[in-house]
DNA sequence: CGTGCTATTATGTATGCACATAATAAAATT
DNA sequence: AATTTTATTATGTGCATACATAATAGCACG
């Protein structure tokens, strides 16, 4: 068999769900039944169903069985764009220009968010990311220099802070927030739009074992969109 | 024993990745080695590693082995908010008010997007979603009445179009787009903000077996954010 | 020296089995 | 009738085994 069972079974089940064979919120046959129907082991069906469950298409409960989820498209996976790749995927040449780069005491909002004690300084960076020498996005970042003192010696003019951190700091956890904000004067001039323009912003904060590493906010040029298909 | 192996192994591996035990882009021991290290079957390690791979933390290649992914937080899963639940989770009372509800010929941009032939009409809906009688979000929607003619008789004043569709139309595929836009006069007055305010917009288009069902755009009140943790 | 065949290796997947666990239904008890 | 106990059932998980598949490394041969 060239076809991979649990994938094809998953596809088949998805099709049957989409065709309305099983009503929204309705019960799907038990694993064992499906297994004999498809002529495979229960484990294979289990795997397919678990994948559908993870994708949010079905809900499973012990003894309760598997039922089609009421709300479609409840969750979507998004690729968080990596600037360089994004620019280069359009055939553009990536570059960046550092506007600010110095140790400062973070404002209270940042400080509490990052659980940095008062009075401690952190590295503040402002960067404009360029596509073919034209502004593409504006980045504001704080780096915890207590956690990553080496960054003070990093050649940030050659490699972006993001890329340096990614290459240097071991893998870490983090969170992401999307929002829309009006460009203020600084942002507008940095990315070359009008003041007040609606900007898509991505905040990303990164931790390493409970220690704060960096937080950044990316302001995208107008018209930026994030896509996800289901 | 009480702990579920493949979950705990996944956690353990995650920890070891985050601790830097294996360098970014570096190789992780083979499944068989990890299996004997953890004292479990290879299949169990396999499952843990596949989960990490799906989460974008490691990259796996046959014969090549498993290596820690270069870019962290490349993908994030977002829960697409369901308005009613969202409102009610804050303890608010959900409601909605229909502003427009009639058959119209969609503008070209919508028509091509939806692959609707020219001249055909579709149901155009504008709805304000309320939290405690105050505007919360504004929705603009087109429904393909050829695919779902029953919607013309639906009690849309009682149940929102979204909920009606979800309950009526079998499961379908779709895509989601996030963007930021400036509120025009209509949007601003609908959700009670100033013209020009930065609005977080979610576009959602839904299909059923290649047949277009509906497309909608949701305009959120200022300050709306979408979170995701990793 | 390069080309093409042949191991070798790590992951991908399926199977059959066993048992664990949660939730329900049925039965027994108070 | 209300409550507790005891099956029953569907999913969750693990294991050992077997084979498939992709990518690589090594070797032989022209």
């Amino acid at each position: 068999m060239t076809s991979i069972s649990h994938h094809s079974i998953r596809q088949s089940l998805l099709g049957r769900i989409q065709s309305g064979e099983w009503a929204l919120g309705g019960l799907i046959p038990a694993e064992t039944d499906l297994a004999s129907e498809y002529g495979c082991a229960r484990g294979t069906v289990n795997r397919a169903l678990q994948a559908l469950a993870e994708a949010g298409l079905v809900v499973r409960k012990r003894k309760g069985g598997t039922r089609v989820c009421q709300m479609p498209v409840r969750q979507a996976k998004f690729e968080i764009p990596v600037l360089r790749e994004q620019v280069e995927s359009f055939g553009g040449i990536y570059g960046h220009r550092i506007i600010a780069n110095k140790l400062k005491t973070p404002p209270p909002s940042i400080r509490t968010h990052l659980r940095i004690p008062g009075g401690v300084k952190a590295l503040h960076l402002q960067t404009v990311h360029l596509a073919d020498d034209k502004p593409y996005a504006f980045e504001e970042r704080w780096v915890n220099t207590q956690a990553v003192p080496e960054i003070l010696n990093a050649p940030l003019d050659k490699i972006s802070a993001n890329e340096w951190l990614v290459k240097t700091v071991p893998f870490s956890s983090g969170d992401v927030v999307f929002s829309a904000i009006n460009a203020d004067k600084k942002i507008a001039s940095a990315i070359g739009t009008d003041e007040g323009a609606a900007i898509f912003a991505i905040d990303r904060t990164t931790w390493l074992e409970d220690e704060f590493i960096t937080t950044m906010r990316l302001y995208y040029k107008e018209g930026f969109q994030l896509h996800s298909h289901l």
Side-chain angles (χ1 to χ4, degrees), chain A residues 130-142:
Chain A
L130 309 165
D132 292 329
D133 284 325
K134 284 180 297 192
Y136 182 74
F138 176 58
E139 172 189 325
E140 188 151 20
R141 180 189 291 270
W142 291 91

Side-chain angles (χ1 to χ4, degrees), chain A residues 8 11 21-22 27 49 66 81-82 89 95 103 107 109 119 132 134 146 150 152 163 173 183 191 196 205 207 221:
Chain A
S8 54
Q11 270 312 104
E21 178 172 339
W22 301 304
L27 260 177
L49 283 172
T66 305
V82 178
S89 76
L103 281 169
S109 62
D132 292 329
K134 284 180 297 192
Q146 301 197 294
E150 314 93 300
L152 295 171
E163 290 184 281
S173 62
I191 59 176
T205 303
W207 313 81
K221 206 161 171 149

Side-chain angles (χ1 to χ4, degrees), chain A residues 78-156:
Chain A
F78 284 85
E79 298 277 316
I80 306 240
V82 178
L83 283 168
R84 159 167 260 130
E85 291 177 12
Q86 212 171 2
V87 168
E88 289 173 350
S89 76
F90 295 139
I93 295 172
Y94 172 81
H96 69 277
R97 197 173 66 236
I98 297 173
I99 292 179
N101 177 357
K102 61 176 159 186
L103 281 169
K104 265 171 67 176
T105 305
S109 62
I110 300 277
R111 227 177 49 220
T112 58
H113 179 43
L114 305 176
R115 295 180 224 151
I116 284 182
V120 175
K121 297 197 171 185
L123 182 62
H124 181 233
L125 291 167
Q126 290 182 327
T127 311
V128 179
H129 296 270
L130 309 165
D132 292 329
D133 284 325
K134 284 180 297 192
Y136 182 74
F138 176 58
E139 172 189 325
E140 188 151 20
R141 180 189 291 270
W142 291 91
V143 183
N144 182 359
T145 46
Q146 301 197 294
V148 203
E150 314 93 300
I151 198 172
L152 295 171
N153 306 316
L156 294 183

Side-chain angles (χ1 to χ4, degrees), chain A residues 23-66:
Chain A
L24 290 198
L27 260 177
I28 285 178
E31 289 182 353
T32 49
D33 298 339
L34 288 171
S36 65
E37 184 190 333
Y38 283 106
C40 68
R42 179 171 78 92
T44 309
V45 172
N46 180 286
R47 197 164 167 184
L49 283 172
Q50 290 214 14
L52 289 176
E54 224 186 308
L57 291 161
V58 298
V59 179
R60 319 195 71 201
K61 247 161 75 178
R62 272 171 175 159
K63 162 86 182 178
T66 305

